[in-house]
Amino acid sequence: MNTSISSDSAIKSKLYPFAEVRSISAIRIGILTIQEKWQKLLESKIPIPESNGNTNVADFFPTNLIPSSAFVVAFINKLISSDHFIEETSCRLLEYPWQIVEFNDWALREDYNLITKGRYSQPLPETVNANKSTQIFLEEGAVLNHCYLNAATGPIYIGKNSEIMEGAIIRGPFALCEGAVVKMGARIYGATTVGPYSVVGGEIKNSVIFGYSNKAHEGYLGDSVIGEWCNIGAGTSNSNIKNSASEVKLWHQPAREFINVGLKCGLLMGDYSRCAINTSFNTATVAGIGANIFGDGLTPKYIPDFSWGSSGKEKYIFEKAMKDIRNWKKLKNKELTDQEIQTLKTIFEQY
């Protein structure tokens, strides 16, 4: 099947709320960001024909193309044209935010093979109960104790200086990125990615959590994408399927309307947003950037940027929002930069 390529500017708004505070190539799917995938794939510095006038394979394609080893090899061998069409069999085009979840199983397997090829895993501790240990890879500094890892359903990647605490049960495909933590008794199904320095607990299924975010307590997160610097309050759960098992509709920012996205979709939460304890997220909820979410009952299916509360009727005071973000970043020994403030101010003034 062939898919036409869209321009970077055209696709950026379609990926709301994940392409406002970062470039499209900085979106994490699988283990790596799109940019990191290209870097890994091109480490061999494969020469490009001089007639093309470029030195990097990635320069030929839009930033929302998720490459694979097979795709790069096919391009180098001139089996794929870069003009207007891309074969979907060996790559993916990220055109909508829910596709981050949809493609994550494929991306996890691709990245696992890319990262671990020709390398040896650190040994599994004796206290770890593992199924198909040949598909489990531990980076240096990873700490695991008395947990269960089942890689029979897909590979499991445990990043540098990460930790899996006692009693955690994990099914692959799964990635725990550098410095991230799985808390005691967590139950995690594939295909799930926990980004760098994030902390997770409770029950998680088929979700992608970007870096520096927390879903550290009991509650269910399924078929969801959580941006950076988010915090999910204890006891919070999301719905990912309607009681009628009918088509799910999700807020689509460019069209300013709800569109059909299939039978399952959970929570899409933009960067710097947080929710109170025991928040109940409706099926296919989009929460924008920098929102402070609280309230009774199920949330609305769309919560705008910098909302104060879940109704979207009241707006966060910008100075207070920046103060609160600074406080959250300090918890992970980071600071809010001037560039971040300017980006967030631009988003704030658009709403």
Side-chain angles (χ1 to χ4, degrees), residues 164-177:
I164 301 177
M165 295 183 182
E166 304 92 298
I169 303 172
I170 298 171
R171 286 170 63 96
F174 171 78
L176 187 68
C177 297

PDB file of all heavy atoms in Angstrom, residues 164-177:
ATOM      1  N   ILE A 164      13.143  -1.887  38.413  1.00  0.00           N
ATOM      2  CA  ILE A 164      11.863  -2.581  38.533  1.00  0.00           C
ATOM      3  C   ILE A 164      11.796  -3.155  39.940  1.00  0.00           C
ATOM      4  O   ILE A 164      12.592  -4.011  40.319  1.00  0.00           O
ATOM      5  CB  ILE A 164      11.717  -3.705  37.489  1.00  0.00           C
ATOM      6  CG1 ILE A 164      11.839  -3.135  36.074  1.00  0.00           C
ATOM      7  CG2 ILE A 164      10.377  -4.415  37.652  1.00  0.00           C
ATOM      8  CD1 ILE A 164      11.770  -4.183  34.981  1.00  0.00           C
ATOM      9  N   MET A 165      10.836  -2.671  40.731  1.00  0.00           N
ATOM     10  CA  MET A 165      10.745  -3.067  42.138  1.00  0.00           C
ATOM     11  C   MET A 165      10.050  -4.419  42.306  1.00  0.00           C
ATOM     12  O   MET A 165       9.502  -4.990  41.361  1.00  0.00           O
ATOM     13  CB  MET A 165      10.001  -1.985  42.922  1.00  0.00           C
ATOM     14  CG  MET A 165      10.720  -0.662  42.997  1.00  0.00           C
ATOM     15  SD  MET A 165       9.791   0.527  44.018  1.00  0.00           S
ATOM     16  CE  MET A 165      10.847   1.962  43.874  1.00  0.00           C
ATOM     17  N   GLU A 166      10.047  -4.881  43.544  1.00  0.00           N
ATOM     18  CA  GLU A 166       9.524  -6.198  43.888  1.00  0.00           C
ATOM     19  C   GLU A 166       8.040  -6.332  43.527  1.00  0.00           C
ATOM     20  O   GLU A 166       7.260  -5.412  43.692  1.00  0.00           O
ATOM     21  CB  GLU A 166       9.680  -6.450  45.384  1.00  0.00           C
ATOM     22  CG  GLU A 166      11.102  -6.306  45.902  1.00  0.00           C
ATOM     23  CD  GLU A 166      11.407  -4.908  46.402  1.00  0.00           C
ATOM     24  OE1 GLU A 166      11.342  -3.955  45.588  1.00  0.00           O
ATOM     25  OE2 GLU A 166      11.699  -4.769  47.610  1.00  0.00           O
ATOM     26  N   GLY A 167       7.699  -7.519  43.036  1.00  0.00           N
ATOM     27  CA  GLY A 167       6.306  -7.833  42.775  1.00  0.00           C
ATOM     28  C   GLY A 167       5.747  -7.334  41.466  1.00  0.00           C
ATOM     29  O   GLY A 167       4.594  -7.621  41.133  1.00  0.00           O
ATOM     30  N   ALA A 168       6.517  -6.594  40.689  1.00  0.00           N
ATOM     31  CA  ALA A 168       6.039  -6.104  39.395  1.00  0.00           C
ATOM     32  C   ALA A 168       5.918  -7.265  38.409  1.00  0.00           C
ATOM     33  O   ALA A 168       6.749  -8.178  38.397  1.00  0.00           O
ATOM     34  CB  ALA A 168       6.975  -5.040  38.845  1.00  0.00           C
ATOM     35  N   ILE A 169       4.875  -7.230  37.583  1.00  0.00           N
ATOM     36  CA  ILE A 169       4.634  -8.260  36.574  1.00  0.00           C
ATOM     37  C   ILE A 169       4.538  -7.565  35.219  1.00  0.00           C
ATOM     38  O   ILE A 169       3.701  -6.672  35.029  1.00  0.00           O
ATOM     39  CB  ILE A 169       3.334  -9.031  36.859  1.00  0.00           C
ATOM     40  CG1 ILE A 169       3.368  -9.646  38.257  1.00  0.00           C
ATOM     41  CG2 ILE A 169       3.099 -10.110  35.809  1.00  0.00           C
ATOM     42  CD1 ILE A 169       2.042 -10.250  38.679  1.00  0.00           C
ATOM     43  N   ILE A 170       5.395  -7.971  34.280  1.00  0.00           N
ATOM     44  CA  ILE A 170       5.490  -7.273  32.995  1.00  0.00           C
ATOM     45  C   ILE A 170       5.450  -8.268  31.846  1.00  0.00           C
ATOM     46  O   ILE A 170       6.167  -9.269  31.854  1.00  0.00           O
ATOM     47  CB  ILE A 170       6.792  -6.441  32.924  1.00  0.00           C
ATOM     48  CG1 ILE A 170       6.779  -5.365  34.017  1.00  0.00           C
ATOM     49  CG2 ILE A 170       6.968  -5.818  31.555  1.00  0.00           C
ATOM     50  CD1 ILE A 170       8.094  -4.632  34.170  1.00  0.00           C
ATOM     51  N   ARG A 171       4.613  -7.968  30.845  1.00  0.00           N
ATOM     52  CA  ARG A 171       4.553  -8.743  29.608  1.00  0.00           C
ATOM     53  C   ARG A 171       5.072  -7.875  28.460  1.00  0.00           C
ATOM     54  O   ARG A 171       4.727  -6.692  28.356  1.00  0.00           O
ATOM     55  CB  ARG A 171       3.109  -9.158  29.286  1.00  0.00           C
ATOM     56  CG  ARG A 171       2.562 -10.268  30.171  1.00  0.00           C
ATOM     57  CD  ARG A 171       1.084 -10.452  29.948  1.00  0.00           C
ATOM     58  NE  ARG A 171       0.793 -10.863  28.589  1.00  0.00           N
ATOM     59  CZ  ARG A 171       0.614 -12.132  28.210  1.00  0.00           C
ATOM     60  NH1 ARG A 171       0.708 -13.098  29.103  1.00  0.00           N
ATOM     61  NH2 ARG A 171       0.337 -12.427  26.965  1.00  0.00           N
ATOM     62  N   GLY A 172       5.893  -8.489  27.593  1.00  0.00           N
ATOM     63  CA  GLY A 172       6.384  -7.762  26.443  1.00  0.00           C
ATOM     64  C   GLY A 172       5.362  -7.681  25.317  1.00  0.00           C
ATOM     65  O   GLY A 172       4.342  -8.370  25.353  1.00  0.00           O
ATOM     66  N   PRO A 173       5.617  -6.850  24.305  1.00  0.00           N
ATOM     67  CA  PRO A 173       6.801  -6.003  24.219  1.00  0.00           C
ATOM     68  C   PRO A 173       6.708  -4.812  25.178  1.00  0.00           C
ATOM     69  O   PRO A 173       5.646  -4.234  25.353  1.00  0.00           O
ATOM     70  CB  PRO A 173       6.805  -5.548  22.761  1.00  0.00           C
ATOM     71  CG  PRO A 173       5.369  -5.606  22.346  1.00  0.00           C
ATOM     72  CD  PRO A 173       4.778  -6.750  23.094  1.00  0.00           C
ATOM     73  N   PHE A 174       7.862  -4.479  25.757  1.00  0.00           N
ATOM     74  CA  PHE A 174       7.901  -3.457  26.798  1.00  0.00           C
ATOM     75  C   PHE A 174       9.264  -2.793  26.798  1.00  0.00           C
ATOM     76  O   PHE A 174      10.283  -3.441  26.570  1.00  0.00           O
ATOM     77  CB  PHE A 174       7.637  -4.099  28.165  1.00  0.00           C
ATOM     78  CG  PHE A 174       7.852  -3.173  29.337  1.00  0.00           C
ATOM     79  CD1 PHE A 174       6.907  -2.224  29.666  1.00  0.00           C
ATOM     80  CD2 PHE A 174       9.012  -3.262  30.105  1.00  0.00           C
ATOM     81  CE1 PHE A 174       7.104  -1.371  30.754  1.00  0.00           C
ATOM     82  CE2 PHE A 174       9.218  -2.427  31.184  1.00  0.00           C
ATOM     83  CZ  PHE A 174       8.254  -1.472  31.514  1.00  0.00           C
ATOM     84  N   ALA A 175       9.267  -1.481  27.074  1.00  0.00           N
ATOM     85  CA  ALA A 175      10.531  -0.761  27.219  1.00  0.00           C
ATOM     86  C   ALA A 175      10.475   0.131  28.443  1.00  0.00           C
ATOM     87  O   ALA A 175       9.514   0.885  28.637  1.00  0.00           O
ATOM     88  CB  ALA A 175      10.821   0.086  25.983  1.00  0.00           C
ATOM     89  N   LEU A 176      11.503   0.028  29.262  1.00  0.00           N
ATOM     90  CA  LEU A 176      11.713   0.919  30.402  1.00  0.00           C
ATOM     91  C   LEU A 176      12.979   1.704  30.096  1.00  0.00           C
ATOM     92  O   LEU A 176      14.076   1.149  30.117  1.00  0.00           O
ATOM     93  CB  LEU A 176      11.860   0.105  31.691  1.00  0.00           C
ATOM     94  CG  LEU A 176      11.927   0.887  32.995  1.00  0.00           C
ATOM     95  CD1 LEU A 176      10.580   1.559  33.292  1.00  0.00           C
ATOM     96  CD2 LEU A 176      12.334  -0.017  34.151  1.00  0.00           C
ATOM     97  N   CYS A 177      12.819   2.979  29.784  1.00  0.00           N
ATOM     98  CA  CYS A 177      13.960   3.768  29.320  1.00  0.00           C
ATOM     99  C   CYS A 177      14.841   4.234  30.475  1.00  0.00           C
ATOM    100  O   CYS A 177      14.540   3.986  31.641  1.00  0.00           O
ATOM    101  CB  CYS A 177      13.458   4.951  28.495  1.00  0.00           C
ATOM    102  SG  CYS A 177      12.574   4.455  27.001  1.00  0.00           S
TER     103      CYS A 177
END
